[in-house]
Amino acid sequence: MNNEKSTVHFTDNYLINPTNPISVNVIGAGGTGSKILTALMEINHSLIALGHAGLIVRLWDDDIISEANLGRQRFASCETGLYKSVALINRANRWAGTNWKAETVKFERDCMDRLPEHAGAAICISCVDSVKARFEIAEILKRLKNDNFHLNRGRYWMDFGNSQHTGQVILSTIGNIRQPRSEKYETVENLPFVTDEFADLLKQSEQGDDTPSCSLEEALEKQDLFINSALAQMGMALLWKLFRDGMLTYRGFFLNLKTFRTQPVQLT
């Protein structure tokens, strides 16, 4: 008889039974972030229909929409010249009647080492192009995790990253999440940051040209047409499971869209 327990992570209870909408920071409004926002609208509507308080989202991006962004990212030609974050949030609010917010600045510390205003959120979702930006986000979240008295203090960080045909989504906890006692499961209270667990891999991957593309053709040489969409849908399915099931047995995945292979990341 196999008595080995399954390893699981139980969702922080505040996300399951909140008194107010769950705060979410989405960092990056490009190929992946623009599609994540649509999925968050669907999650928000579904949660509210199930009697949940829903989500309040803040989208961070200081980039301007250009012709090269059309087609692969979720923007229309009439939106060129606008801030990505503003265009997406205005569209979401008109569509869903929400009061989500746009930030037209980078999610980073200023020259005085001060944290950005509104940096704190229960869930942080990063869709950034550079490894440097990931490590900056990690430093900010580590400093914020000491704020244990705020209801919407940081609980989870979900990081999205990709190259032309491959990508990954990794879910981390911001500090420890208290787990219930269980005779059936082996519970895990801490899911390490992607910048700690895969630091060497991230640094090795920082080799490509991250200069802005001048055309859609040039952009598709860096990131294939559907890699962002595939990651966004699968990553948001993981987030939905966090809310809907209240527990996880996997904390992310690696995806190769060229070979159509997916490798889940199990809890350990």
Side-chain angles (χ1 to χ4, degrees), residues 28-30 59-64 83-85 103-106:
L59 180 62
W60 300 71
D61 201 308
D62 69 333
D63 200 10
I64 300 293
Y83 280 106
K84 290 181 178 180
S85 55
E103 294 286 347
T104 57
V105 296
K106 291 182 182 295

Side-chain angles (χ1 to χ4, degrees), residues 112-163:
M112 303 292 290
D113 198 38
R114 292 174 298 198
L115 301 183
E117 191 176 3
H118 307 299
I123 300 171
C124 177
I125 301 174
S126 55
C127 321
V128 294
D129 293 331
S130 72
V131 173
K132 179 182 177 182
R134 278 193 183 86
F135 279 93
E136 173 67 11
I137 292 168
E139 285 302 312
I140 292 173
L141 296 181
K142 286 177 181 177
R143 285 173 57 173
L144 286 171
K145 76 177 182 180
N146 296 322
D147 182 11
N148 292 321
F149 302 103
H150 194 279
L151 286 178
N152 265 337
R153 64 176 173 82
R155 266 86 169 180
Y156 295 98
W157 175 22
M158 179 176 282
D159 179 68
F160 289 73
N162 69 279
S163 57

Side-chain angles (χ1 to χ4, degrees), residues 88-109:
L88 289 169
I89 287 295
N90 283 345
R91 196 189 312 160
N93 287 339
R94 287 195 301 268
W95 179 270
T98 50
N99 188 29
W100 293 358
K101 305 297 183 182
E103 294 286 347
T104 57
V105 296
K106 291 182 182 295
F107 189 86
E108 62 183 12
R109 293 165 293 180

Side-chain angles (χ1 to χ4, degrees), residues 36-48:
I36 280 176
L37 194 72
T38 303
L40 288 173
M41 291 167 58
E42 297 170 356
I43 290 175
N44 178 61
H45 181 88
S46 300
L47 286 174
I48 292 173

Side-chain angles (χ1 to χ4, degrees), residues 160-178:
F160 289 73
N162 69 279
S163 57
Q164 186 176 11
H165 300 289
T166 62
Q168 73 285 332
V169 177
I170 302 294
L171 179 70
S172 308
T173 58
I174 303 173
N176 296 332
I177 304 295
R178 176 184 282 185

